[in-house]
Every structure is written in C-alpha cells, then in structure tokens.
Amino acid sequence: MKSTSDPARRIKLGDIAQRLGISTAAVSMALRGGSGVSQATKQRVEAVAQELGYVYDRGAARLRTGQSNTVGVVIGTLSNSFFGELVCGVDEIIGEARKISFLLNTREDAERQKELLVRMREQSVDGLILCPAPGTRSDLLETMHDWGIPVIQMLRSVSDTKGDFVSADYQTGIETLCAHLIRLGHKRIAFLGGNLDHSATRQRIKGFKAALDRAQLPSDLIVKTASDSSGGRDGAAKLLSSENPPTAIACFNDRVALGAMAAVRAAGLVPGRDIAVTGFDNINAGAEAYPALTTVETHARDIGREAGRLLLRRIEGPTMSNERIIVPTRLIIRESCGATLASRDIEGTGET
Amino acid sequence: MKSTSDPARRIKLGDIAQRLGISTAAVSMALRGGSGVSQATKQRVEAVAQELGYVYDRGAARLRTGQSNTVGVVIGTLSNSFFGELVCGVDEIIGEARKISFLLNTREDAERQKELLVRMREQSVDGLILCPAPGTRSDLLETMHDWGIPVIQMLRSVSDTKGDFVSADYQTGIETLCAHLIRLGHKRIAFLGGNLDHSATRQRIKGFKAALDRAQLPSDLIVKTASDSSGGRDGAAKLLSSENPPTAIACFNDRVALGAMAAVRAAGLVPGRDIAVTGFDNINAGAEAYPALTTVETHARDIGREAGRLLLRRIEGPTMSNERIIVPTRLIIRESCGATLASRDIEGTGET
DNA sequence: TTGACAACATTAATCGTTTAAGTTAATTCA
DNA sequence: TGAATTAACTTAAACGATTAATGTTGTCAA
C-alpha cells in the first residue's frame, strides 16, 4: 500500500500529543498505567496511536525506569535437544510475562561465559537463567549480586547451598535406574560420559556409586567421555574391549547412550540382549531408537518453566529467601536395559 | 570483598569525567571511537573506568545512536536438534560481531509470529533472521521494510523472488535421494511428513515428484503428517496397513524417519531390509540409529552462519541488492535405505 | 461564599550516552 | 611573522519515555 511512503521517522509520544493538543505526559499515562487520565482521553490517544502507527520504544522507557523487560538465558549447547526443550520451557513463561529472552551459548567455556555475562549487564537484563559452564568460579553469585542482577541457576549449581536453583533430581534418578539394573541381575555396571566437571555430573556419579555400594557391587567402573554420541561410541568401544567388560552401561545422558548402542552394534553385540545400555533425560530420539532406550525422564520443559517462574518471582521480590526446586525424575523402562527382552513373554512398549 | 558495600549506584561516564576533571564527552570519545582524545587521556580514562567498575549502558547509547546491537532470531521450534544447530551457527557469527540475539519461538503460529515481530520492533533490533511460520502473509517483507528492519529469510521464503534468503537446496537434495532409491529398484515410493505449508515443504515435494516422474513412477503417494516422530509413526503405520504399501518411504526429515522406523518395527518388519526409510537434515540421532539412517545432509550450522553473515552485510549496506544463498546438500547413504544390506545379501538388484 | 477535595492535565527534570559545533592553544607553513 | 591548520577538549542539545511536583478545573458540603 504505502511501501516507500514517509521518511519513516519514528512516531513518538510527542507526535500523538501534538495531534491531540495535549501533553506527552498525558499520552504516556493513557497508553501505560491507565490511571491519571480520563477514559475519553485514553480512547482518543489509543485511536491516534493506532492511526499514526506509534511504536513503543522500550529502550527509551527502560532508560527512565530501569526495567528492560529482557532476561538472559545462558547455556552451554543447543545440539542436544534436551536443552532445546529446556529453553522452550523458559521461553514459554518469560514470554507470558511479556518479556523476551536473549539466548547465549557459552560452549561450556567459563571464560566465554564471563564475557557473555558482561554483555548481559550492559544490556541491563532484568534477570538471568544460568546453566554454569564447568570451571565457573564459585564467587559468581556474589558478583552477580553486586551487579544487581537476579540469577537462577539451572541444572547445575555453583554452590550447594546458596542461590536460587532449579534442577532435576539427578541423584535419585540414577539411583533408581541402577537399582533396576541390579534387580535385573547385573553385577558389573559401568558409568559412561560426564567428562565435564559440574554439579550435575557429580550428582549422577554420586547416585551411581550409592546404588552400587548398597548392593556391594564394584562402583569404580567409571569412564569419563564427552557427553555426546561420539563420547558414547568411544567410551563403549573402550569398555567392550577391556579384559573384563561390564554387562550394563549406565550412560550420562541419552546422547551418550545412543552412541554407546551404536558401538555395541559395531562390536557385533545386540544392545538390550547381550548388554544393557541406559540413558538419561528422555529425549525423543531415545523412544524411537531400536531397541528403545531405557532412560530417566527429567522433564526438561518443566524444569525450564520452573526456572522461568522462579526468576519472575525473584525479580518481583529481590529479598525473598532462596528457593531450590528439585523436579522429581521418573524411570522409563523400555528395551535397551534388557528388561523386556529378558522376560520375553511380555510385549513391552515401555512407559512403566 | 565488597559484597554488599555501596548502594550500587551505576557508574556513568560523568563519574569518570568528574574524577579526572574532564568532560563526559571526552570520556565517551576515549572509551569508544578513539579519535578526538590524546593517548594519554585515553589511558587515564580506561584506568579510572576499570577502577570504578564502569559498565557501558548500551540502552542509553542505542537511544542516542539508533544502533541496538541486537538481532532477533525467529523460528518455529527448538525440539528438533536441527534447529538447535541452526541457531548455534547464527549465534556464532552474530556473537563475533559483538551483537547478541533474541531467540523467539513462533510455535509455527503466524499470529504469534506477528506479535513477536512487534516486540522486536519495540526493542529496535538491528535486524532479523526469520524462518516464517506457515500462513505468514506474503506482504511481510514490505511491512518489515516499512518498519526499517532488515530481514533474512531462513529455510523458508515468503516470496520466491524477493528478499534475502538462505536455505538448503531441498529440491535437488530430495531428487538425488529419490534417484538413489529408484536405482535400488524401488518402484513404489511414498513421501511422508510435511503437513505445514511453507516453501521448504513445497520444495521437497517438488523434488520428490520430479524424480519419480522422470522414472515414470507414480508420484502421488504423499502422506502429510506432523513433521516430528509421532507424525512419522502414525503416517508409516497408515502406509503399511494400506492395501498396496510402498517399498520405500522418503521422509520429510530425520525425526519423521525415526518415527517411521519405529512404526515399521512395530509392524514386525525390519527397516532397511523389508522396507527402505530415509530422512532429511542429518541430525545426530540419525547416525546413531539402527539401522543407521540414510539421509540428506543440509549443513544446518553452515546455513545458520550464512544467514548471520548475510544479515550483517545487509545491516551494513541496506541498499545492497538481494541475495539468495542456496547451500548445497549431500546424500548420505547409510543402512536404512537398504543399499548396503541389499548389495550384501541380494544379487537381484544388480549394480552398485 | 468559602474551603476542601477529587479528577484530570501539565511542567520540567531525568535516565546515560553521543555528537555537531565551538573554543583554546600549540604547531605548521609560506 | 602571522595566517592557517590541527589536536585536544568542552558545551549543550539531543534520543524518547516516565514521573514527581504542580496547576487548573469543577463539585459539593457547610
């Protein structure tokens, strides 16, 4: 219609005010708060705003009010669809609150993370949801507090006690999983993956050891590899070629497990029959794998949502006491652990 | 050290200026441009900025300059790791340019997309990378032009000729793939997935038809389902139970293919032996699947990078003529198409 | 008639940065 | 030498919104 019409100067409050012969203050009140102006004026203002094609300048407003209505979401990777789900959950809640989110990728590098945080500060974000990169200094929370930026730690925490935190119950999750493997008769269980040192890794290993120790089984078969499929392949290959290979491999996450299953195949064995392989997170690809992956559901999207909600609460009430939200996990028994194959009479599609 | 020390007032240029007995203008020049102040002053300014803990207020700067140093990345989902890779690629380039990106999720809803775009405008982003939701009005590009926001269309385009565009060569990709299936002896090939109507779907279907028509095979076996694994399951189940089922299923993307393979299994058949199943995109999970998925590599990360670079160029040169970058695809033959199995077991299909 | 009290609007300062235009004083050049 | 140039700063006006403080009506009770 009017493709290249005007010189496209940005319409501002003043333009509306001028048109109506009132002050910009009145216009501002009419468009925002509501109180302070008559209904009649409010309507006239809205009409003219519409007509002129007014666009709110959040930047200008934020300069005055200090509220940017943006938040930062800082994570280490997006290649894993688990994090995709997580981010979706965060975004859902943040979006409902009419805020928008910066997505920042640390690539699991603490140095890079530091830079990104500085940029977030320059942007005056209202708050941050952070999945701290390994090697994050433990005084990060104090620093952020000094900066006046609320932070929610997600999945990983820098301190065991301080700060807001939302995560899955990694330890119980893997304990339950290992208990299941033990119940199936496995006596030699390995843990595979988790080469990055952060709380979520430590929690999983802790759960692993606890379960095995309780059953008086050796809990020292831990192979640290990259937490992706290539890590799974390499690590499983190494385990299989060792002199006393495990009969079950509990993997750090589903991606590792899928890689491990591929390595098992490559060695001429069948996962779920010759050797049990389990994952963690319950990404889609696990349900579709063959054999379908036994894993632990961590409700990624819910965790993201909880983190989003907690951040909003924290932004509202900076003095509110800390919250640590641990979302329960759920064991999902499918085929890769050998459970259903072992008891072949039962036709199992998983989802216990 | 000084955890809860000061009232945490934000240090501004004026504070540095005062401390040094110079004007804020000089400080600004010292910290930004460089020219206009002596080296000596510059160094003194930098030292004091450091000492006082000065933080650049990008918001304030942007109000003055109009440059926000932010871009918006608008996509429909993050559950598919293909998009995760894409976003990583974009972020890489955008980050190098010292900009940061808002990540917005349309959930493939054009209405929602409209809202999100308004928010981007309110934030005065420097530019947008957009993967248009189905149903996006074709005058979107004009609107964005009127708004003065450069847009790069990614993967899908609203117009066949207008605007900047970066995508994979979907049509050739699927043509090559189908040609391969035909060479393997398949005479009845179905297309599965792609229920959303956008250019990327149309391109794929076009390639599918072209390849089959050329071989004088029926090209009407198209089942539109959700482009995720559940769509793959449902669609494949339907195909298998039809009276004259296909011998090969070319899926819209890898997620659909993984779902389809699961359905094939559930029907008591073996994918890659009894029926060929192929994907598209080459996500990680495909390589780890069993049988490993034959697919078409679309170089998600590269596409993201190209889109990022193009946007930067466009922001620099608003009058530069349009670019349409089509990144070539590559057929990746694994096992799910039956190629390797067929040549191993059967002599009937002859060559290769 | 006066005063009190709402209700509605306005004035003017402010957020922190940039930048065009102006001021010095030192340096260069013919 | 004196005019012209330049380097190094300063001044002051933006950018577009918000909001405390203030002003102007109009209504109603006493």
Side-chain angles (χ1 to χ4, degrees):
Chain A
M1 306 131 201
K2 40 155 200 170
S3 244
T4 42
S5 51
D6 343 293
R9 197 179 59 78
R10 187 163 192 155
I11 303 297
K12 50 182 170 178
L13 291 186
D15 298 323
I16 301 178
Q18 199 165 29
R19 175 74 162 264
L20 285 169
I22 60 178
S23 72
T24 63
V27 176
S28 173
M29 287 161 139
L31 290 177
R32 300 296 129 215
S35 88
V37 288
S38 68
Q39 277 300 314
T41 307
K42 185 169 167 151
Q43 282 173 11
R44 286 188 307 149
V45 166
E46 274 163 0
V48 173
Q50 182 80 37
E51 182 197 340
L52 260 45
Y54 169 73
V55 180
Y56 183 44
D57 186 327
R58 274 172 195 271
R62 117 85 183 66
L63 184 56
R64 186 57 233 263
T65 63
Q67 272 251 313
S68 72
N69 279 305
T70 59
V71 309
V73 179
V74 185
I75 60 177
T77 175
L78 267 178
S79 307
N80 187 335
S81 64
F82 172 77
F83 284 95
E85 289 290 332
L86 208 61
V87 170
C88 282
V90 170
D91 189 64
E92 226 173 85
I93 302 299
I94 296 302
E96 276 172 18
R98 316 232 69 217
K99 295 183 191 290
I100 50 184
S101 35
F102 292 108
L103 182 68
L104 307 183
N105 195 329
T106 63
R107 294 180 213 148
E108 303 293 12
D109 175 349
E111 272 310 304
R112 201 178 136 75
Q113 175 176 279
K114 205 189 288 181
E115 271 187 47
L116 295 179
L117 293 179
V118 170
R119 282 203 225 169
M120 288 295 91
R121 179 141 92 133
E122 293 181 351
Q123 293 281 355
S124 333
V125 291
D126 294 340
L128 281 172
I129 293 181
L130 172 72
C131 182
T136 300
R137 291 189 47 181
S138 61
D139 59 3
L140 182 79
L141 295 182
E142 277 86 20
T143 305
M144 300 312 275
H145 180 260
D146 288 350
W147 289 7
I149 304 181
V151 181
I152 309 298
Q153 302 170 86
M154 188 168 64
L155 300 182
R156 310 170 186 169
S157 68
V158 156
S159 149
D160 279 349
T161 56
K162 284 185 293 184
D164 292 312
F165 180 50
V166 179
S167 181
D169 190 348
Y170 287 123
Q171 186 172 342
T172 309
I174 206 151
E175 260 187 78
T176 311
L177 173 76
C178 288
H180 175 69
L181 288 172
I182 292 167
R183 209 159 40 237
L184 290 176
H186 290 283
K187 302 235 177 295
R188 193 158 169 76
I189 305 174
F191 181 88
L192 180 58
N195 62 334
L196 298 180
D197 183 44
H198 51 67
S199 68
T201 305
R202 288 192 293 272
Q203 289 244 315
R204 271 178 259 211
I205 291 181
K206 202 165 154 192
F208 172 78
K209 289 194 166 166
L212 271 63
D213 288 349
R214 194 175 309 125
Q216 296 179 314
L217 295 174
S219 65
D220 56 345
L221 206 51
I222 296 176
V223 177
K224 299 205 172 179
T225 66
S227 299
D228 57 14
S229 57
S230 68
R233 273 178 197 266
D234 301 348
K238 199 194 282 181
L239 278 169
L240 293 173
S241 63
S242 65
E243 52 193 285
N244 188 7
T247 64
I249 306 179
C251 298
F252 178 83
N253 65 18
D254 291 343
R255 299 221 57 75
V256 172
L258 292 174
M261 290 216 289
V264 167
R265 295 262 186 216
L269 302 174
V270 177
R273 190 192 70 187
D274 303 326
I275 185 169
V277 177
T278 63
F280 210 102
D281 283 347
N282 192 27
I283 63 176
N284 287 321
E288 303 146 11
Y290 181 78
L293 192 63
T294 289
T295 188
V296 176
E297 163 76 57
T298 46
H299 309 283
R301 199 174 282 242
D302 286 340
I303 292 178
R305 277 195 279 248
E306 286 296 343
R309 278 193 274 261
L310 181 51
L311 180 57
L312 293 180
R313 261 178 280 149
R314 169 62 62 209
I315 290 171
E316 284 309 307
T319 61
M320 168 182 95
S321 67
N322 280 340
E323 288 190 32
R324 298 180 80 83
I325 300 177
I326 307 299
V327 179
T329 57
R330 193 166 64 92
L331 177 63
I332 296 190
I333 301 172
R334 295 205 188 94
E335 299 162 354
S336 71
C337 61
T340 47
L341 295 183
S343 50
R344 219 172 238 252
D345 30 74
I346 301 165
E347 182 71 23
T349 42
E351 318 282 328
T352 305
Chain B
M1 307 131 201
K2 39 154 198 170
S3 246
T4 44
S5 52
D6 343 293
R9 197 178 58 76
R10 188 162 189 153
I11 303 297
K12 49 184 171 177
L13 291 185
D15 298 325
I16 301 177
Q18 199 167 30
R19 175 75 162 262
L20 286 169
I22 61 179
S23 72
T24 62
V27 177
S28 174
M29 288 160 139
L31 291 177
R32 304 291 131 217
S35 87
V37 288
S38 68
Q39 277 300 315
T41 307
K42 185 170 166 150
Q43 282 173 10
R44 284 187 308 146
V45 167
E46 274 163 0
V48 173
Q50 182 81 38
E51 183 196 343
L52 261 46
Y54 169 73
V55 180
Y56 183 44
D57 186 327
R58 272 172 195 273
R62 116 88 183 69
L63 184 56
R64 185 59 231 262
T65 61
Q67 272 252 314
S68 71
N69 279 305
T70 59
V71 308
V73 179
V74 184
I75 60 177
T77 176
L78 267 177
S79 306
N80 188 334
S81 64
F82 172 76
F83 284 95
E85 288 290 334
L86 208 61
V87 170
C88 281
V90 170
D91 188 66
E92 224 172 88
I93 303 299
I94 296 302
E96 275 172 19
R98 315 235 67 216
K99 294 184 192 288
I100 50 184
S101 34
F102 292 108
L103 182 69
L104 308 184
N105 195 329
T106 63
R107 294 181 214 148
E108 303 294 11
D109 174 350
E111 272 311 303
R112 201 180 135 76
Q113 175 177 278
K114 206 190 287 180
E115 271 186 47
L116 295 179
L117 293 179
V118 170
R119 281 202 227 170
M120 288 294 91
R121 195 184 183 197
E122 292 182 351
Q123 292 281 357
S124 335
V125 291
D126 294 341
L128 281 172
I129 293 181
L130 171 72
C131 182
T136 299
R137 291 189 45 180
S138 62
D139 59 3
L140 183 80
L141 294 181
E142 277 86 20
T143 305
M144 300 313 275
H145 181 260
D146 287 350
W147 288 7
I149 304 182
V151 180
I152 309 298
Q153 301 170 88
M154 187 168 64
L155 299 182
R156 310 171 185 169
S157 67
V158 157
S159 149
D160 279 350
T161 56
K162 283 184 294 185
D164 292 311
F165 180 49
V166 178
S167 181
D169 190 348
Y170 287 123
Q171 185 171 343
T172 308
I174 206 150
E175 261 187 77
T176 311
L177 173 74
C178 288
H180 178 249
L181 288 173
I182 292 167
R183 207 158 45 235
L184 290 177
H186 291 282
K187 302 236 177 295
R188 193 158 169 77
I189 305 175
F191 181 87
L192 181 59
N195 63 333
L196 298 180
D197 182 45
H198 51 68
S199 69
T201 306
R202 290 192 293 274
Q203 288 245 317
R204 270 178 260 209
I205 291 182
K206 202 165 155 192
F208 171 77
K209 289 193 166 168
L212 271 63
D213 289 350
R214 194 176 309 128
Q216 295 178 315
L217 295 175
S219 64
D220 56 346
L221 206 52
I222 295 176
V223 177
K224 298 205 172 176
T225 66
S227 299
D228 58 13
S229 57
S230 68
R233 274 179 196 262
D234 301 348
K238 198 193 282 180
L239 279 169
L240 292 174
S241 63
S242 66
E243 53 192 287
N244 187 7
T247 64
I249 306 178
C251 299
F252 178 82
N253 66 19
D254 291 343
R255 300 220 57 76
V256 171
L258 293 175
M261 289 216 290
V264 167
R265 295 263 186 215
L269 302 173
V270 177
R273 190 194 69 188
D274 303 325
I275 185 168
V277 176
T278 62
F280 210 102
D281 283 348
N282 192 27
I283 63 176
N284 287 321
E288 304 147 9
Y290 181 79
L293 192 64
T294 289
T295 188
V296 176
E297 163 77 58
T298 46
H299 309 283
R301 198 173 282 242
D302 286 340
I303 292 177
R305 275 194 281 247
E306 286 296 344
R309 276 192 276 261
L310 181 50
L311 180 58
L312 293 180
R313 261 178 282 149
R314 170 62 62 206
I315 291 171
E316 285 307 308
T319 62
M320 166 182 98
S321 66
N322 280 341
E323 288 190 31
R324 297 181 79 82
I325 300 176
I326 307 299
V327 178
T329 57
R330 194 165 63 90
L331 177 62
I332 298 192
I333 301 173
R334 297 208 187 94
E335 298 162 355
S336 70
C337 61
T340 47
L341 296 181
S343 58
R344 195 193 303 148
D345 302 341
I346 304 167
E347 85 285 20
T349 49
E351 90 289 77
T352 343

